[in-house]
Amino acid sequence: MTVKEDLVRLQSEAIEAIASTADEASLDKVRVAFLGKKGSITAISASMKDVPKEDKKAMGQALNAARTAVTEALDARKQALQDEADAKSIEGLDVTMPARSLPTGSLHPLTIIKDRAIQILRRLGFALAEGPEIETEFHCFDALNTPEDHPARNESDTFYFDSGKLLRTHTSTVQVRTMESAKPPIKIIAPGSAYRRDEIDATHLSVFNQLEGLYVDSDVRLSDLKGTLEFFYRAMFGDQTEVRFRPHFFPFTEPSFEIDVLLTVKGEKPKWIEVAGCGMVDPAVFDAVNKSRGDSAYDPATTTGYAFGMGLDRLAMIQWGIKDIRLLIENDIRFLSQFA
Ligand code: DAH
């Protein structure tokens, strides 16, 4: 038998053996038997050196053809075996069945309210501003015309550090910070956290959220303040929302007001809810800012402004009828998933 005939025979033996394999392990055995280091086809290529020169080319070609044919058959069988295994592994499975739904996250109600408030106020031309939560007494109290003996400055109302710094008790600090660093006109809002030593209950937290507003120019009037805030609360809670300004006292505004919104819950008697403090910036605040700046950019004779500070937690409670403010910090999925 010639070497060539040997090759043809080996090739058809290999192809037959490949076709009858039932798994990848036996397929690999066939590969080793024919193409492995000691495989029968490999043995023939080792004997190439004894082939006469003139036959070498034809022999080489025949050998390559046999090797290629066997390799292709091995690959095809391997693919077929894998496809069979795949099909078997999902036998009886209905792949058209709808997938189990994954719980989706959602924004926290406070974030939703804050974003909406910012959106409305930006439409009115307010820019975002910010300031530190660890503050000086100057920015939290003195510059805001709040005297040394004011109850808000008491150890029992405010968190002080040994350094004399404190956790800001309101976002009004950003009024001072903004005026220190920029000249009028100023039109900013500053959402952020504030801290007080309050007893925690259904309506009080020691960390809460405010949104401060400040508009300073040469001709800002109380009517601007009223119009702006009425617009704001109607944009927030609906066109029919009733807003009431109640005279009040704040050291840093004069005159000052508290703002109430008439809350109507289905089946309950309408109730006025306090939502913010506001007023016309007290000239004493401009004086303090000028002194800190070392100029008279905020000349009280020609500069006027209004300021407001609202509780964001309150807005969320009103918006969704949340009766206990603690729900906003407990991270209870049963509560939070209602906002998804
Ligand atoms: N800072 C005040 C508070 O936390 C709220 C407030 C009142 C802010 C009047 C203002 C304002 O800007 O003009 O109770």
Side-chain angles (χ1 to χ4, degrees):
M1 206 190 280
T2 66
V3 179
K4 203 152 179 210
E5 282 165 346
D6 266 351
L7 260 180
V8 171
R9 180 180 50 81
L10 284 175
Q11 177 175 336
S12 63
E13 269 177 32
I15 303 243
E16 222 170 278
I18 290 167
S20 65
T21 53
D23 53 48
E24 287 193 50
S26 46
L27 185 63
D28 202 51
K29 273 190 198 140
V30 174
R31 183 186 61 75
V32 171
F34 288 89
L35 297 178
K37 250 191 199 151
K38 294 180 182 153
S40 41
I41 294 181
T42 314
I44 291 185
S45 53
S47 66
M48 273 286 279
K49 57 182 183 324
D50 306 325
V51 174
K53 210 173 168 198
E54 61 274 22
D55 294 340
K56 266 205 162 100
K57 190 175 173 204
M59 262 298 296
Q61 279 172 349
L63 196 60
N64 268 342
R67 228 194 258 119
T68 307
V70 174
T71 306
E72 276 172 5
L74 281 166
D75 288 347
R77 183 66 188 145
K78 188 171 178 178
Q79 187 62 51
L81 284 171
Q82 278 174 355
D83 289 350
E84 272 172 40
D86 285 349
K88 221 174 184 164
S89 71
I90 56 164
E91 224 167 45
L93 262 186
D94 180 0
V95 293
T96 65
M97 216 160 77
R100 224 172 280 160
S101 68
L102 287 173
T104 40
S106 63
L107 292 178
H108 191 277
L110 266 176
T111 307
I112 297 172
I113 275 288
K114 184 177 77 180
D115 288 352
R116 271 187 49 208
I118 291 173
Q119 208 178 16
I120 296 166
L121 290 160
R122 285 186 71 129
R123 252 175 25 224
L124 295 174
F126 288 89
L128 273 173
E130 60 180 5
E133 293 179 13
I134 297 175
E135 263 296 7
T136 62
E137 284 199 89
F138 174 76
H139 291 95
C140 199
F141 299 125
D142 298 297
L144 290 165
N145 197 32
T146 307
E148 200 80 57
D149 58 356
H150 193 280
R153 300 184 70 151
N154 203 296
E155 285 275 345
S156 64
D157 282 343
T158 300
F159 296 103
Y160 285 94
F161 294 94
D162 291 341
S163 64
K165 285 199 171 180
L166 47 83
L167 290 176
R168 68 180 180 194
T169 59
H170 51 187
T171 46
S172 303
T173 52
V174 186
Q175 291 188 32
V176 182
R177 293 257 169 210
T178 307
M179 288 190 281
E180 278 178 331
S181 62
K183 290 183 175 167
I186 295 267
K187 198 168 184 185
I188 57 107
I189 47 171
S193 303
Y195 304 81
R196 287 181 203 170
R197 272 183 192 264
D198 272 337
E199 203 65 55
I200 294 174
D201 61 24
T203 51
H204 294 89
L205 292 174
S206 47
V207 186
F208 55 103
N209 298 278
Q210 290 191 327
L211 186 144
E212 194 77 14
L214 175 70
Y215 177 30
V216 178
D217 205 341
S218 52
D219 191 21
V220 181
R221 303 161 187 227
L222 183 56
S223 50
D224 298 324
L225 170 62
K226 276 198 82 178
T228 300
L229 289 179
E230 273 173 11
F231 176 87
F232 173 79
Y233 286 108
R234 290 191 179 130
M236 203 73 193
F237 297 127
D239 287 347
Q240 306 304 316
T241 306
E242 286 195 60
V243 184
R244 170 171 94 174
F245 287 71
R246 220 171 357 88
H248 196 75
F249 174 80
F250 293 104
F252 35 92
T253 41
E254 177 60 31
S256 304
F257 304 88
E258 275 190 333
I259 304 170
D260 301 331
V261 162
L262 190 64
L263 176 66
T264 344
V265 177
K266 243 209 220 135
E268 285 182 29
K269 229 173 84 192
K271 213 164 62 180
W272 289 103
I273 307 272
E274 180 207 323
V275 288
C278 66
M280 302 305 290
V281 179
D282 194 303
V285 175
F286 290 142
D287 284 335
V289 165
N290 284 334
K291 221 162 148 193
S292 169
R293 291 173 55 95
D295 64 13
S296 52
Y298 289 84
D299 180 0
T302 53
T303 311
T304 52
Y306 67 66
F308 57 86
M310 56 180 83
L312 287 175
D313 314 78
R314 269 288 164 85
L315 293 191
M317 291 172 81
I318 293 172
Q319 175 71 49
W320 290 291
I322 299 167
K323 293 233 165 80
D324 193 324
I325 195 171
R326 287 170 290 199
L327 285 166
L328 293 174
I329 58 163
E330 280 168 355
N331 278 338
D332 187 331
I333 295 287
R334 291 167 302 178
F335 171 71
L336 294 176
S337 62
Q338 297 176 64
F339 301 91

